[in-house]
């Protein structure tokens, strides 16, 4: 399934949640979708737990 189709389905789900359930349901669906996305990336092996706690490499900041 392409990412465009996944994005379309997510947008439709958020639209229905917002229309029928209000703004609170919209936020709940969006938060659960984000959590599911991160969990899926972990299971695929694209992310590691240390990626959230390691400082970013911001390059050389010499003055």
């Amino acid at each position: 399934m392409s990412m465009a189709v996944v994005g379309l389905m997510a947008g439709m789900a958020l639209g229905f949640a917002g229309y029928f359930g209000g703004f609170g349901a919209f936020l709940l669906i969006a938060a659960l979708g984000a959590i599911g996305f991160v969990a899926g990336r972990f299971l695929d092996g694209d992310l590691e737990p240390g990626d959230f706690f390691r400082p970013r490499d911001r390059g050389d900041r010499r003055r």
Side-chain angles (χ1 to χ4, degrees), residues 10-21:
M12 289 177 66
L14 288 172
F16 279 117
Y19 183 76
F20 291 112

Side-chain angles (χ1 to χ4, degrees), residues 32-47 52:
L32 291 175
I35 291 169
F37 176 75
V38 171
R41 295 291 300 252
F42 275 121
L43 293 174
D44 283 344
D46 294 335
L47 285 176
F52 290 107

Side-chain angles (χ1 to χ4, degrees), residues 43-59:
L43 293 174
D44 283 344
D46 294 335
L47 285 176
E48 295 181 12
D51 290 342
F52 290 107
F53 305 112
R54 210 173 324 164
R56 293 182 184 175
D57 182 24
R58 297 188 179 176

